[in-house]
Amino acid sequence: MIAYEEALKIVLEKTKPLGNEKVFIHQALNRILAEDIHADRDNPPADNSGMDGFAVRHEDIIGASEDNPAALKIIGESKAGDLPPKLEKGAAIPIYTGALIPEGADTIIQKELTKVEGSIVYILKELKKGANIREKGGDYKAGDLLIPKGKRLRPAEIGVLSSVNKATVYVKQIPRVGIITTGDEILDIGENITKESQIRTSNTYSLYTQVLETGAIPTIIGFAKDNPEDIKEKLKWAKNCDVLLTTGGVSVGEYDLVKDFVSKELNVSIHFWKVALKPGKPVAFGTWGEDGEKIFFGIPGNPVASMVVYEILVKPAIKKMMGYQNPENKIFTGILTEDFKRKSADRLEFIRAYVEYKEDNFYVKPFTKQASNMLTSMLNANALVLVDIDIHQIEAGEKVRFIFFDREI
Amino acid sequence: MIAYEEALKIVLEKTKPLGNEKVFIHQALNRILAEDIHADRDNPPADNSGMDGFAVRHEDIIGASEDNPAALKIIGESKAGDLPPKLEKGAAIPIYTGALIPEGADTIIQKELTKVEGSIVYILKELKKGANIREKGGDYKAGDLLIPKGKRLRPAEIGVLSSVNKATVYVKQIPRVGIITTGDEILDIGENITKESQIRTSNTYSLYTQVLETGAIPTIIGFAKDNPEDIKEKLKWAKNCDVLLTTGGVSVGEYDLVKDFVSKELNVSIHFWKVALKPGKPVAFGTWGEDGEKIFFGIPGNPVASMVVYEILVKPAIKKMMGYQNPENKIFTGILTEDFKRKSADRLEFIRAYVEYKEDNFYVKPFTKQASNMLTSMLNANALVLVDIDIHQIEAGEKVRFIFFDREI
């Protein structure tokens, strides 16, 4: 049995990022950029107005004030996208935000500081020369590196991609994640219950949507009964996946079945089985494929253990494959609102909790029902609190470390 | 010009949640539940074992210890999904996690506390009667309310839905959000630049992906030149949207064009135009459709203003339509790492910043380039700091309020 930290280290060492692919930029949201993005031209591409108002020659408005306005003749217009007329002495050209600065103009007076009467505009305040002009290349110059490879693409990055004329972009590939649910007693949705002992799956679809939330491609390989033929067949169907998750069949009594078959059928090398972790102790991890580039997790069948193991071991691995530079869960600190006690303290425990942010702090309410078969205990939880080995008790008011498992915190 | 808080209040009052629809549960991730979910049976459905080990009669193991083990005859087996044999006095039945408790058994001894020699198992410790037995209905009983309507469906909820035999589920509908980009100078990706003053769009695709990230359905209605025919045509195409976003054409010079046309063509009632907000002052909001059930935002054309206005006004409205009970952005507190100064303090300002969590606190680095045309200033920002009206300066070390605009904090 190894420590969780050691297990996570092995997982992240053995897991390699996938290759690159080209996608349309709207599909690139939350993908990891695989090429450097450079500017195709200066931005702004030319000097332009930062305001709606009037383009003037600074020499014509020196000393202008409300009591002593400068009177200028209105000529022409400069709208965004148009080529403006030339500005003569003693004149002003109406101009809109983003429009080109007319030849001869050197200052923009915003509309609010002017008064129009017929074909005359009164300038009510002298602004300094160059006011309200946005300079060509002021944001960036052609050739500048705008987004370095390795960045996750958010709406701001997608906007920049379109502004430099990228319709498609190289990003890291995302893994296909196969899910095999094992167990004679497990039924899919819609199947008839014929024995009291049968259980309808929850893990298949919580894992499926956990994979979706991570941004990878879930594939339900199916439900395997606890017999060699069925397991063999389902493993065969998993061959084109990058990640294989099995749920169930990894506790003391059953583990050998899954372990033997993944080793035999898919040539998986198991790197660890059993982690000093609660819930999720009997988790197995291995690599397979031609160069060990594919990964395998044998996930315990308990619904809570399944969700927790996904969050703390599988998700970091999948994010590593997707090219994330920091695939680990972020750890926050909060204040425990109720005492927490446990009898056995030989494992790192992830306690379900509800975290609320108020008065500048995270407040952490631990749940009292912690049995790992109680999926309902996950319903109101939005975080997992880390309770270290040898810690039997944490009192209300003490600081605790936690990770979020809800995308909306 | 109204205050931001007032503007947000008007937006949330005027915006109504959409109706319900039925979707497959894997499509229901992050949707808002529109029906109460009750348990279809007890869980666990029958008493079962919480451990791999041996099912015994407690009376047979009283006083058992390593020095004085109780020797029991091994008979049969209880595997998950099977009907186990009856347990006779003086015997023990091998049992696996989740398997039914054999008739006559009242205690489960985990494998680790036993030793097997041939057909005899030695019990090395007396556990109390009922140990390691998970009781029928211990998690919940048939008919119990498991998930109330109004909850956002996360992987835990999806797992519970499948476990109660739901393949499909009623959720709130999501809005179709039409995006019209206005401006003679704006080009789409791939269009040829023929004038120095032309700008390639960023707002179209940053808005598109912001809508995607919110979980709604973006639709690019297209690019409208600043002339009545083109604007009219594009507005016609927007008629089947629930939300209409226009970008550009709302500052002093151009607003009337968009305002007049949305009023005339789509019968939009404008509820406000101009908010004491920076960036994003010239934002317009209105309602339209048969019962005023559709909404309209006229979003400024500046790339940063566009992204910020989406986050702080449009996103809360879309989430309200989607059925979110708390659609507002959550506000966090952090410590400013550098002095911030501004000249004009007549508006609430949303300052771009990079927030990092370390040593139990959020540290907030404000950006120095705050011009609203500088999209690149969004690239390294992951948060917006609120600077209140009349505040000219905030010193490093002071606490500030901020919202995240990155899903991964």
Side-chain angles (χ1 to χ4, degrees), chain A residues 83-113:
Chain A
L83 193 68
K86 203 179 149 184
L87 180 65
E88 309 294 340
K89 220 184 127 37
I93 295 178
I95 193 166
Y96 299 98
T97 305
L100 291 188
I101 306 300
E103 196 190 323
D106 56 15
T107 305
I108 306 298
I109 312 295
Q110 55 263 50
K111 205 170 178 175
E112 293 78 359
L113 300 178

mmCIF file of all heavy atoms in Angstrom, chain A residues 83-113:
data_model
loop_
_atom_site.group_PDB
_atom_site.id
_atom_site.type_symbol
_atom_site.label_atom_id
_atom_site.label_comp_id
_atom_site.label_asym_id
_atom_site.label_seq_id
_atom_site.Cartn_x
_atom_site.Cartn_y
_atom_site.Cartn_z
ATOM 1 N N LEU A 83 -12.425 56.454 -45.095
ATOM 2 C CA LEU A 83 -11.239 57.295 -45.225
ATOM 3 C C LEU A 83 -11.716 58.738 -45.018
ATOM 4 O O LEU A 83 -12.517 59.238 -45.794
ATOM 5 C CB LEU A 83 -10.610 57.120 -46.616
ATOM 6 C CG LEU A 83 -9.205 57.703 -46.739
ATOM 7 C CD1 LEU A 83 -8.208 56.917 -45.895
ATOM 8 C CD2 LEU A 83 -8.766 57.692 -48.205
ATOM 9 N N PRO A 84 -11.248 59.427 -43.961
ATOM 10 C CA PRO A 84 -11.792 60.760 -43.654
ATOM 11 C C PRO A 84 -11.194 61.836 -44.556
ATOM 12 O O PRO A 84 -10.111 61.645 -45.115
ATOM 13 C CB PRO A 84 -11.354 60.976 -42.204
ATOM 14 C CG PRO A 84 -10.117 60.160 -42.054
ATOM 15 C CD PRO A 84 -10.227 59.001 -42.999
ATOM 16 N N PRO A 85 -11.886 62.968 -44.672
ATOM 17 C CA PRO A 85 -11.326 64.098 -45.434
ATOM 18 C C PRO A 85 -10.171 64.729 -44.659
ATOM 19 O O PRO A 85 -9.948 64.413 -43.490
ATOM 20 C CB PRO A 85 -12.506 65.067 -45.537
ATOM 21 C CG PRO A 85 -13.363 64.756 -44.354
ATOM 22 C CD PRO A 85 -13.188 63.294 -44.057
ATOM 23 N N LYS A 86 -9.440 65.634 -45.319
ATOM 24 C CA LYS A 86 -8.326 66.345 -44.689
ATOM 25 C C LYS A 86 -8.885 67.457 -43.810
ATOM 26 O O LYS A 86 -9.896 68.069 -44.158
ATOM 27 C CB LYS A 86 -7.419 66.922 -45.794
ATOM 28 C CG LYS A 86 -6.012 67.186 -45.336
ATOM 29 C CD LYS A 86 -5.150 67.739 -46.473
ATOM 30 C CE LYS A 86 -4.089 68.667 -45.895
ATOM 31 N NZ LYS A 86 -3.275 69.327 -46.915
ATOM 32 N N LEU A 87 -8.262 67.716 -42.663
ATOM 33 C CA LEU A 87 -8.745 68.770 -41.777
ATOM 34 C C LEU A 87 -8.014 70.084 -42.051
ATOM 35 O O LEU A 87 -6.796 70.172 -41.908
ATOM 36 C CB LEU A 87 -8.544 68.368 -40.309
ATOM 37 C CG LEU A 87 -9.009 69.393 -39.260
ATOM 38 C CD1 LEU A 87 -10.534 69.585 -39.313
ATOM 39 C CD2 LEU A 87 -8.572 68.995 -37.865
ATOM 40 N N GLU A 88 -8.803 71.122 -42.445
ATOM 41 C CA GLU A 88 -8.235 72.464 -42.681
ATOM 42 C C GLU A 88 -8.139 73.210 -41.357
ATOM 43 O O GLU A 88 -8.835 72.881 -40.397
ATOM 44 C CB GLU A 88 -9.150 73.257 -43.639
ATOM 45 C CG GLU A 88 -9.531 72.553 -44.921
ATOM 46 C CD GLU A 88 -8.333 72.321 -45.837
ATOM 47 O OE1 GLU A 88 -7.310 73.006 -45.672
ATOM 48 O OE2 GLU A 88 -8.415 71.410 -46.694
ATOM 49 N N LYS A 89 -7.345 74.257 -41.371
ATOM 50 C CA LYS A 89 -7.231 75.136 -40.202
ATOM 51 C C LYS A 89 -8.590 75.773 -39.914
ATOM 52 O O LYS A 89 -9.352 76.098 -40.809
ATOM 53 C CB LYS A 89 -6.198 76.231 -40.511
ATOM 54 C CG LYS A 89 -5.292 76.558 -39.323
ATOM 55 C CD LYS A 89 -4.331 77.702 -39.597
ATOM 56 C CE LYS A 89 -4.420 78.790 -38.531
ATOM 57 N NZ LYS A 89 -4.643 78.349 -37.158
ATOM 58 N N GLY A 90 -8.925 75.870 -38.589
ATOM 59 C CA GLY A 90 -10.178 76.522 -38.203
ATOM 60 C C GLY A 90 -11.404 75.655 -38.376
ATOM 61 O O GLY A 90 -12.529 76.116 -38.190
ATOM 62 N N ALA A 91 -11.185 74.392 -38.701
ATOM 63 C CA ALA A 91 -12.332 73.484 -38.903
ATOM 64 C C ALA A 91 -12.273 72.313 -37.905
ATOM 65 O O ALA A 91 -11.278 72.119 -37.211
ATOM 66 C CB ALA A 91 -12.340 72.963 -40.336
ATOM 67 N N ALA A 92 -13.365 71.548 -37.857
ATOM 68 C CA ALA A 92 -13.442 70.347 -37.011
ATOM 69 C C ALA A 92 -14.208 69.286 -37.780
ATOM 70 O O ALA A 92 -15.169 69.612 -38.497
ATOM 71 C CB ALA A 92 -14.152 70.669 -35.699
ATOM 72 N N ILE A 93 -13.770 68.034 -37.639
ATOM 73 C CA ILE A 93 -14.449 66.945 -38.349
ATOM 74 C C ILE A 93 -15.125 66.042 -37.315
ATOM 75 O O ILE A 93 -14.459 65.534 -36.405
ATOM 76 C CB ILE A 93 -13.438 66.133 -39.194
ATOM 77 C CG1 ILE A 93 -12.859 67.039 -40.308
ATOM 78 C CG2 ILE A 93 -14.086 64.880 -39.776
ATOM 79 C CD1 ILE A 93 -11.809 66.361 -41.174
ATOM 80 N N PRO A 94 -16.439 65.850 -37.423
ATOM 81 C CA PRO A 94 -17.124 64.907 -36.522
ATOM 82 C C PRO A 94 -16.490 63.516 -36.663
ATOM 83 O O PRO A 94 -16.231 63.069 -37.787
ATOM 84 C CB PRO A 94 -18.565 64.897 -37.027
ATOM 85 C CG PRO A 94 -18.720 66.166 -37.814
ATOM 86 C CD PRO A 94 -17.375 66.446 -38.401
ATOM 87 N N ILE A 95 -16.232 62.879 -35.557
ATOM 88 C CA ILE A 95 -15.524 61.581 -35.601
ATOM 89 C C ILE A 95 -16.147 60.631 -34.596
ATOM 90 O O ILE A 95 -16.683 61.055 -33.567
ATOM 91 C CB ILE A 95 -14.010 61.803 -35.346
ATOM 92 C CG1 ILE A 95 -13.205 60.556 -35.695
ATOM 93 C CG2 ILE A 95 -13.740 62.214 -33.893
ATOM 94 C CD1 ILE A 95 -11.697 60.811 -35.805
ATOM 95 N N TYR A 96 -16.095 59.347 -34.935
ATOM 96 C CA TYR A 96 -16.686 58.334 -34.065
ATOM 97 C C TYR A 96 -15.602 57.401 -33.523
ATOM 98 O O TYR A 96 -14.520 57.299 -34.108
ATOM 99 C CB TYR A 96 -17.761 57.550 -34.830
ATOM 100 C CG TYR A 96 -18.858 58.471 -35.293
ATOM 101 C CD1 TYR A 96 -18.877 58.970 -36.597
ATOM 102 C CD2 TYR A 96 -19.838 58.893 -34.402
ATOM 103 C CE1 TYR A 96 -19.862 59.861 -37.010
ATOM 104 C CE2 TYR A 96 -20.826 59.787 -34.806
ATOM 105 C CZ TYR A 96 -20.831 60.264 -36.109
ATOM 106 O OH TYR A 96 -21.800 61.139 -36.493
ATOM 107 N N THR A 97 -15.908 56.754 -32.430
ATOM 108 C CA THR A 97 -14.954 55.840 -31.805
ATOM 109 C C THR A 97 -14.446 54.829 -32.831
ATOM 110 O O THR A 97 -15.238 54.218 -33.544
ATOM 111 C CB THR A 97 -15.614 55.087 -30.631
ATOM 112 O OG1 THR A 97 -16.140 56.062 -29.735
ATOM 113 C CG2 THR A 97 -14.611 54.213 -29.901
ATOM 114 N N GLY A 98 -13.146 54.665 -32.907
ATOM 115 C CA GLY A 98 -12.560 53.673 -33.807
ATOM 116 C C GLY A 98 -12.269 54.230 -35.191
ATOM 117 O O GLY A 98 -11.586 53.572 -35.984
ATOM 118 N N ALA A 99 -12.780 55.417 -35.500
ATOM 119 C CA ALA A 99 -12.575 55.974 -36.847
ATOM 120 C C ALA A 99 -11.162 56.528 -36.987
ATOM 121 O O ALA A 99 -10.522 56.920 -36.004
ATOM 122 C CB ALA A 99 -13.603 57.066 -37.118
ATOM 123 N N LEU A 100 -10.679 56.571 -38.242
ATOM 124 C CA LEU A 100 -9.327 57.081 -38.529
ATOM 125 C C LEU A 100 -9.216 58.565 -38.187
ATOM 126 O O LEU A 100 -10.167 59.317 -38.331
ATOM 127 C CB LEU A 100 -9.005 56.900 -40.017
ATOM 128 C CG LEU A 100 -8.820 55.480 -40.540
ATOM 129 C CD1 LEU A 100 -8.313 55.527 -41.981
ATOM 130 C CD2 LEU A 100 -7.850 54.703 -39.655
ATOM 131 N N ILE A 101 -8.011 58.986 -37.786
ATOM 132 C CA ILE A 101 -7.739 60.393 -37.505
ATOM 133 C C ILE A 101 -7.502 61.100 -38.847
ATOM 134 O O ILE A 101 -6.618 60.686 -39.617
ATOM 135 C CB ILE A 101 -6.464 60.520 -36.632
ATOM 136 C CG1 ILE A 101 -6.577 59.657 -35.367
ATOM 137 C CG2 ILE A 101 -6.195 61.989 -36.286
ATOM 138 C CD1 ILE A 101 -7.733 59.994 -34.463
ATOM 139 N N PRO A 102 -8.271 62.145 -39.148
ATOM 140 C CA PRO A 102 -8.088 62.838 -40.437
ATOM 141 C C PRO A 102 -6.690 63.460 -40.518
ATOM 142 O O PRO A 102 -6.123 63.859 -39.488
ATOM 143 C CB PRO A 102 -9.166 63.935 -40.405
ATOM 144 C CG PRO A 102 -10.161 63.492 -39.379
ATOM 145 C CD PRO A 102 -9.385 62.713 -38.368
ATOM 146 N N GLU A 103 -6.167 63.539 -41.719
ATOM 147 C CA GLU A 103 -4.881 64.186 -41.935
ATOM 148 C C GLU A 103 -4.987 65.620 -41.455
ATOM 149 O O GLU A 103 -5.974 66.310 -41.729
ATOM 150 C CB GLU A 103 -4.535 64.146 -43.437
ATOM 151 C CG GLU A 103 -3.085 64.435 -43.743
ATOM 152 C CD GLU A 103 -2.857 64.624 -45.244
ATOM 153 O OE1 GLU A 103 -3.512 63.897 -46.042
ATOM 154 O OE2 GLU A 103 -2.040 65.495 -45.605
ATOM 155 N N GLY A 104 -4.038 66.065 -40.670
ATOM 156 C CA GLY A 104 -4.062 67.436 -40.162
ATOM 157 C C GLY A 104 -4.586 67.533 -38.740
ATOM 158 O O GLY A 104 -4.257 68.458 -38.002
ATOM 159 N N ALA A 105 -5.396 66.554 -38.302
ATOM 160 C CA ALA A 105 -5.930 66.582 -36.933
ATOM 161 C C ALA A 105 -4.905 65.960 -35.981
ATOM 162 O O ALA A 105 -4.153 65.067 -36.366
ATOM 163 C CB ALA A 105 -7.247 65.811 -36.870
ATOM 164 N N ASP A 106 -4.873 66.468 -34.753
ATOM 165 C CA ASP A 106 -3.929 65.914 -33.778
ATOM 166 C C ASP A 106 -4.562 65.716 -32.408
ATOM 167 O O ASP A 106 -3.934 65.265 -31.466
ATOM 168 C CB ASP A 106 -2.683 66.804 -33.662
ATOM 169 C CG ASP A 106 -3.045 68.239 -33.301
ATOM 170 O OD1 ASP A 106 -4.201 68.482 -32.871
ATOM 171 O OD2 ASP A 106 -2.184 69.119 -33.481
ATOM 172 N N THR A 107 -5.859 66.071 -32.294
ATOM 173 C CA THR A 107 -6.523 65.984 -30.993
ATOM 174 C C THR A 107 -7.993 65.651 -31.226
ATOM 175 O O THR A 107 -8.580 66.110 -32.210
ATOM 176 C CB THR A 107 -6.407 67.349 -30.257
ATOM 177 O OG1 THR A 107 -5.017 67.697 -30.175
ATOM 178 C CG2 THR A 107 -7.003 67.291 -28.859
ATOM 179 N N ILE A 108 -8.567 64.832 -30.322
ATOM 180 C CA ILE A 108 -9.999 64.518 -30.410
ATOM 181 C C ILE A 108 -10.684 65.102 -29.163
ATOM 182 O O ILE A 108 -10.261 64.824 -28.033
ATOM 183 C CB ILE A 108 -10.249 62.998 -30.450
ATOM 184 C CG1 ILE A 108 -9.453 62.334 -31.576
ATOM 185 C CG2 ILE A 108 -11.753 62.708 -30.560
ATOM 186 C CD1 ILE A 108 -9.804 62.795 -32.975
ATOM 187 N N ILE A 109 -11.729 65.917 -29.399
ATOM 188 C CA ILE A 109 -12.520 66.451 -28.284
ATOM 189 C C ILE A 109 -13.808 65.637 -28.206
ATOM 190 O O ILE A 109 -14.569 65.579 -29.172
ATOM 191 C CB ILE A 109 -12.875 67.946 -28.512
ATOM 192 C CG1 ILE A 109 -11.639 68.747 -28.931
ATOM 193 C CG2 ILE A 109 -13.543 68.536 -27.272
ATOM 194 C CD1 ILE A 109 -10.554 68.854 -27.906
ATOM 195 N N GLN A 110 -14.057 65.011 -27.037
ATOM 196 C CA GLN A 110 -15.258 64.187 -26.952
ATOM 197 C C GLN A 110 -16.496 65.072 -27.030
ATOM 198 O O GLN A 110 -16.479 66.221 -26.592
ATOM 199 C CB GLN A 110 -15.281 63.311 -25.691
ATOM 200 C CG GLN A 110 -15.126 64.030 -24.376
ATOM 201 C CD GLN A 110 -13.671 63.991 -23.893
ATOM 202 O OE1 GLN A 110 -12.750 64.305 -24.651
ATOM 203 N NE2 GLN A 110 -13.483 63.614 -22.650
ATOM 204 N N LYS A 111 -17.574 64.499 -27.566
ATOM 205 C CA LYS A 111 -18.829 65.209 -27.810
ATOM 206 C C LYS A 111 -19.294 65.992 -26.589
ATOM 207 O O LYS A 111 -19.803 67.104 -26.707
ATOM 208 C CB LYS A 111 -19.894 64.167 -28.196
ATOM 209 C CG LYS A 111 -21.018 64.733 -29.019
ATOM 210 C CD LYS A 111 -21.913 63.643 -29.579
ATOM 211 C CE LYS A 111 -23.064 64.279 -30.378
ATOM 212 N NZ LYS A 111 -23.893 63.270 -31.032
ATOM 213 N N GLU A 112 -19.127 65.387 -25.389
ATOM 214 C CA GLU A 112 -19.604 65.996 -24.147
ATOM 215 C C GLU A 112 -18.956 67.365 -23.889
ATOM 216 O O GLU A 112 -19.489 68.163 -23.126
ATOM 217 C CB GLU A 112 -19.350 65.068 -22.952
ATOM 218 C CG GLU A 112 -20.165 63.769 -22.957
ATOM 219 C CD GLU A 112 -19.630 62.692 -23.905
ATOM 220 O OE1 GLU A 112 -18.613 62.931 -24.600
ATOM 221 O OE2 GLU A 112 -20.235 61.607 -23.956
ATOM 222 N N LEU A 113 -17.784 67.630 -24.486
ATOM 223 C CA LEU A 113 -17.074 68.897 -24.253
ATOM 224 C C LEU A 113 -17.286 69.859 -25.418
ATOM 225 O O LEU A 113 -16.467 70.763 -25.643
ATOM 226 C CB LEU A 113 -15.580 68.638 -24.038
ATOM 227 C CG LEU A 113 -15.213 67.729 -22.852
ATOM 228 C CD1 LEU A 113 -13.713 67.518 -22.778
ATOM 229 C CD2 LEU A 113 -15.735 68.317 -21.539
#
